[in-house]
Amino acid sequence: MEAEVIEAEMVLPQHLSFKRVQMSEKYPKGQARARWKLLKQIIQAENYQNYPPNEPNYVNIESPPSMYPSKKFCDITGFEAPYVDPKTKIRYANADVFKHVRALPNDYVQRYLALRNAAVVLK
Amino acid sequence: MAFINASRRPDRQSDYRYIPRSRPIVIDNGGSTFRIGWAGESEPRITFRNVVLRPRHKITGETVTIVGDHDPALLKYFDCTRSSHRSAFDSNVVYQFEIMEYILDYGFERMGVQGSQVDHPILITECACNPIQSRSKMAELLFENYGVPSVAFGIDAAFSYKYNQQLGICDKDGLAICSGFTTSHAIPFVSGEPVLEACCRTNIGGYHVTDYLKQLLSLKYPNHMSNLSWEKVEGLKMEHGYVAQDYASEVQLFQTGTKEAKEKTRCWQLPWTPPPTEVPISEEEIARKAAIKEKQGQRLREMAAAKKSSRISDMENELQGLEFLLNELKTVKENDIQTFLSQTGYVSKQEIESAVVRVTQSLRRAKGEPVEVEEKTESSASEKYSLINIPDNMLSPDQQKEKKRQLLIKTTTEGRQRAKQKRFEEELEKERKNQEDEEKRLENPELYLEELHTKHRDLSEKVEQRKRLKTNGSRTNGNQNLSSSVGRGERLNAAQKERMRLLTTAAYDRGKGEDTFGIKEEDWQLYKLMSKDNDDDDEGPDDDEAELVRITSRLQDIDPAFIPKVDSSSYQTVTHIRPLSKEDFQITIGVERFRCPEILFQPNMVGVDQAGLDEMAGISIQRLPLKGNGVEDRITSSILLTGGSCIYPGMAERLEAGIRKMRPFESPIRVVRASDPVLDAWRGAASYAASDQFLLQTFSRQDYYEKGEDWLRRYRLRYTI
């Protein structure tokens, strides 16, 4: 290990005195590391339906969809967008923006739509 | 800068052994930063970004762990291609406990922990309604691996509220709106305790705002994508982001291009070096260079002259030799001609004569005298084409071949002459037309200009239309599978339509149930028609475009006020011809300044179908189990804004306006910002842990094992002690 790296104390030391089991023992080198459950799986495993519904848990404190009708804004400029391009489904504000929309390559179109979570995802 | 202290590693604390074992360690385990310190202090000792990087050392090959921020220069010793910054969080829940362990290791190590275990009670923050699995794994980690005697879990927003309550900023009944890294919560407080049943969470936080800004800027400036790193964009967001009072009207300002909009637009100049300008050369330099050039020219000219004179003398010698030969020939007798000639290498007298002619010609040309080529060709023409006029049957087969050759030569030379003539005439014609144009212009400049303008307009429209058709057609082609079997509704391209029409009419013509296409030879001409249609499309516009270019240049010459309309086909018009200027390296942020933080209030803008911050307040008040007694009014008159993602200017006013929309007329609304939105959670936790009753709220290892998971699920901290 280079001198300046050691001096900067950048790297976590291998052995720490206050630990009962060191990381190298717990996750030995070469062995596949544990697969951790993602949040979705954790929530599923919690079985919140078995518990009374008025008890707060991770799922039922989530916000409901918005009450107000959503205003549509242009994907490219951010202005108010009264129009939608039927081919690409991008919202645009006026004719100049429309020219740009039509001139966009396809992957940019998908990226703009992905900002709105409206991209076509092919699995 | 607020809370990113990049590349400064926190120092190792050295006073661990002086601190009594009863003093708790307080940890604020946040989505963006990890803070750890002692209870009762006002600042956390150690703060770092809650990420882990596991690169491989280039030389030794071992995988090391780097927690938090680091000096990017030192990374050159490591191979970071297969590793990226990893966080232990998924949304706001800890799920990756290996990474959590690295982070805790680092935190404790920096705190200077000595001994064989971490022998202090620990207060650690978690998210609201943390799933039991995450909670139990965290407790297990702390108990098993670090030997911690007792642990307490609390909600960071609640600690922040309690701290501000102590400071007098908010009352014991109120609402905490905490906007964090990945989520935002609205938690009502009644009598000093959070009412978790009425808590509300939206999955939008500072991370989403930064990500939105990053995507927008990358799409707008694709050339500068390498400059738009996450850290840089976060810096931009913190410096320039603000929340508009009313998004629609603010956007109107920008759309109409008012002066205020220009003032609000910020510009980021990227580092750019202008190309080195040419140093103006002094007079002497110019004179010297001219002299050198002159000398070189002189030398070249001398060399050329010398060569020329030597060539001329050679040719004269040759000519003399040939003439001498001719003279000799005259004197030699008939029989000896062949033998004599074979010595010299010429086959016949004619050849010698033609050689003489050639040499004299080139001599004359070299000397610079006009050459009479024409009559030579004339005479040789009659000689060459001598065989043409003689009919075939009188000639031998060799002579017939000869005749054919002469015929060919004659036609080609005649054709060449005709073409030359035509070209000459065309040039004359063009000259004449230009003359007329000039006269027209001189006599009536305005009318001429008008005509030129209209012509330009029409042509440009035509060209654009054709371009549009072409790109639209090719786009549809590209979107489908570039094969001829396109779906029925999508044959928008004119060429494709034509093709289909031809094919269907061909198929239709037969009828009678049987397909007899192809029996007749003419049927296959159909395909020739179709491909011709396709080709026509590409060649036609070229003349129009050439004409357009000519007219544009003409207009630019004559009319000083004419500005050709640039066809901006790309979002950022950078033509490759002109050199890059300063403006190309500027990133302007105008609408994005308030468009990105707007997603906190309107998550629909990024496709998250949940309520925004202002609505969340209303929803959580609605969810309160015990209403009445004016508790709602008390709550709305003490609304606290806390969390790292709520420091945007203008947020408090916006929130107030939003909440007023939902509350009855003239209800008291007061929105206050926490004294330090970023650090208050830790400070609240520290002051909470410093109180004597704290230890009653913790649970020990035995509790954890004896009472089981169900107890842990119901474990809730009491915040007023």
Side-chain angles (χ1 to χ4, degrees), chain A residues 1-2 4-5 8-14 16-21 23 26-27 29 33 36-40 42 45-46 48 51 54-58 60-68 70-71 73-80 87 93-94 100 102-104 106 108 111-112 115-117, chain B residues 9 54 57 62 64-66 74 77-78 90-93 95 97-98 101-102 105-106 108-110 113 115-117 129 131-133 143-145 147 196-197 199-203 215-216 218-219 222 247 251 255 475 569 571 591 595 602 604-607 609-611 615-616 619 623 662 713:
Chain A
M1 204 62 70
E2 289 78 359
E4 50 176 356
V5 169
E9 291 182 347
M10 206 164 76
V11 172
L12 208 62
Q14 292 282 24
L16 292 159
S17 62
F18 47 84
K19 288 190 76 169
R20 296 221 180 124
V21 182
M23 283 307 264
K26 206 174 186 189
Y27 300 102
K29 202 170 154 181
R33 294 201 122 85
W36 299 101
K37 277 192 176 172
L38 295 169
L39 182 63
K40 265 191 358 193
I42 295 178
E46 291 280 304
Y48 284 128
Y51 303 113
N54 53 355
E55 240 179 50
N57 55 50
Y58 194 79
N60 62 12
I61 64 172
E62 209 161 307
S63 314
S66 169
M67 212 174 21
Y68 301 122
S70 70
K71 267 194 170 280
F73 295 107
C74 171
D75 284 319
I76 301 185
T77 54
F79 303 148
E80 247 195 75
K87 193 168 71 132
N94 52 42
H100 286 142
R102 273 298 160 93
L104 283 176
N106 191 35
Y108 277 46
R111 280 170 70 182
Y112 271 118
L115 285 184
R116 244 197 309 142
N117 222 2
Chain B
R9 311 286 283 173
R54 301 204 77 227
H57 195 256
E62 55 168 321
V64 297
T65 318
I66 304 178
L74 288 177
Y77 297 114
F78 299 97
D90 182 355
S91 189
N92 55 356
V93 174
Y95 80 111
F97 284 92
E98 183 191 338
E101 203 176 328
Y102 285 130
D105 279 352
Y106 183 67
F108 287 136
E109 190 256 331
R110 287 285 112 180
V113 170
S116 63
Q117 59 182 29
C129 302
I132 182 67
Q133 273 195 12
F143 287 135
E144 293 299 311
N145 238 312
L196 284 182
E197 287 80 4
C199 176
C200 190
R201 179 190 79 239
T202 295
N203 299 326
Q215 300 281 6
L216 282 176
S218 317
L219 280 165
Y247 185 74
V251 135
Q255 199 167 6
R475 188 72 58 70
S569 53
Y571 197 17
V591 180
R595 184 180 173 190
Q602 290 190 41
N604 287 312
M605 282 173 69
V606 275
D609 198 12
Q610 289 186 301
E615 255 192 277
M616 269 160 66
I619 290 170
R623 283 183 181 172
M662 288 183 297
R713 196 171 63 79

Side-chain angles (χ1 to χ4, degrees), chain B residues 516-681:
Chain B
T516 54
F517 181 82
I519 293 186
K520 290 187 264 183
E521 190 56 40
E522 304 88 62
D523 293 342
W524 300 108
Q525 306 295 332
L526 173 73
Y527 286 98
K528 270 211 198 134
L529 262 176
M530 288 203 297
S531 66
K532 195 156 49 119
D533 281 339
N534 266 334
D535 287 336
D536 263 350
D537 225 3
D538 296 327
E539 287 160 13
D542 287 349
D543 326 321
D544 280 338
E545 281 179 1
E547 185 71 19
L548 185 63
V549 169
R550 201 180 61 81
I551 295 188
T552 327
S553 58
R554 196 98 180 83
L555 272 171
Q556 271 173 330
D557 290 333
I558 311 174
D559 188 7
F562 175 72
I563 308 161
K565 189 173 69 158
V566 176
D567 177 29
S568 52
S569 53
S570 65
Y571 197 17
Q572 202 191 11
T573 53
V574 176
T575 52
H576 299 288
I577 308 170
R578 64 171 170 86
L580 295 171
S581 68
K582 188 169 174 208
E583 277 73 38
D584 290 329
F585 282 83
Q586 284 174 345
I587 292 187
T588 42
I589 310 181
V591 180
E592 291 85 11
R593 279 186 72 195
F594 58 93
R595 184 180 173 190
C596 297
E598 183 66 24
I599 69 174
L600 292 169
F601 290 91
Q602 290 190 41
N604 287 312
M605 282 173 69
V606 275
V608 173
D609 198 12
Q610 289 186 301
L613 282 182
D614 41 5
E615 255 192 277
M616 269 160 66
I619 290 170
S620 89
I621 293 177
Q622 219 180 17
R623 283 183 181 172
L624 277 176
L626 312 146
K627 286 190 269 239
N629 219 1
V631 71
E632 296 173 13
D633 283 345
R634 286 205 298 276
I635 286 177
T636 53
S637 51
S638 154
I639 299 180
L640 184 75
L641 265 182
T642 179
S645 186
C646 77
I647 1 185
Y648 299 109
M651 194 166 228
E653 291 87 19
R654 176 68 186 269
L655 205 56
E656 191 177 326
I659 294 176
R660 197 169 285 288
K661 275 199 275 196
M662 288 183 297
R663 298 294 305 147
F665 182 59
E666 283 200 10
S667 44
I669 298 182
R670 189 175 73 101
V671 177
V672 285
R673 233 177 69 164
S675 56
D676 186 345
V678 170
L679 282 180
D680 268 356

Side-chain angles (χ1 to χ4, degrees), chain B residues 396-551:
Chain B
S396 65
D398 278 335
Q399 281 179 320
Q400 278 179 354
K401 249 188 266 173
E402 190 61 34
K403 175 179 170 183
K404 270 199 199 118
R405 200 172 58 87
Q406 285 179 0
L407 203 61
L408 187 66
I409 294 175
K410 180 173 177 197
T411 41
T412 43
T413 40
E414 275 180 12
R416 230 181 291 142
Q417 276 175 337
R418 248 180 288 143
K420 219 191 284 182
Q421 190 73 11
K422 215 189 340 184
R423 246 180 290 146
F424 188 61
E425 276 173 17
E426 266 180 17
E427 271 188 36
L428 275 175
E429 187 70 31
K430 227 196 269 183
E431 266 305 310
R432 204 174 45 82
K433 242 199 259 184
N434 279 352
Q435 290 273 19
E436 277 184 21
D437 241 8
E438 275 299 309
E439 281 168 22
K440 237 203 296 185
R441 184 169 81 84
L442 288 168
E443 68 182 82
N444 194 353
E446 291 179 1
L447 189 64
Y448 178 73
L449 208 59
E450 269 299 313
E451 286 180 1
L452 214 54
H453 269 291
T454 42
K455 247 193 281 179
H456 173 85
R457 242 195 315 251
D458 293 333
L459 262 178
S460 60
E461 256 191 53
K462 227 201 306 181
V463 166
E464 239 181 75
Q465 209 180 40
R466 213 173 304 205
K467 208 189 287 185
R468 229 179 299 149
L469 268 177
K470 224 197 287 191
T471 53
N472 278 342
S474 63
R475 188 72 58 70
T476 43
N477 264 342
N479 275 344
Q480 322 301 336
N481 296 324
L482 271 184
S483 64
S484 52
S485 54
V486 197
R488 229 185 301 160
E490 285 112 15
R491 285 193 207 103
L492 302 173
N493 189 5
Q496 278 190 305
K497 269 201 198 128
E498 184 62 29
R499 204 144 149 260
M500 224 51 221
R501 188 186 66 83
L502 282 169
L503 281 172
T504 44
T505 48
Y508 182 70
D509 278 347
R510 307 300 150 218
K512 295 197 185 108
E514 218 181 273
D515 186 14
T516 54
F517 181 82
I519 293 186
K520 290 187 264 183
E521 190 56 40
E522 304 88 62
D523 293 342
W524 300 108
Q525 306 295 332
L526 173 73
Y527 286 98
K528 270 211 198 134
L529 262 176
M530 288 203 297
S531 66
K532 195 156 49 119
D533 281 339
N534 266 334
D535 287 336
D536 263 350
D537 225 3
D538 296 327
E539 287 160 13
D542 287 349
D543 326 321
D544 280 338
E545 281 179 1
E547 185 71 19
L548 185 63
V549 169
R550 201 180 61 81
I551 295 188

Side-chain angles (χ1 to χ4, degrees), chain B residues 199-215:
Chain B
C199 176
C200 190
R201 179 190 79 239
T202 295
N203 299 326
I204 289 273
Y207 165 80
H208 300 100
V209 177
T210 313
D211 191 49
Y212 194 47
L213 181 61
K214 183 162 182 278
Q215 300 281 6

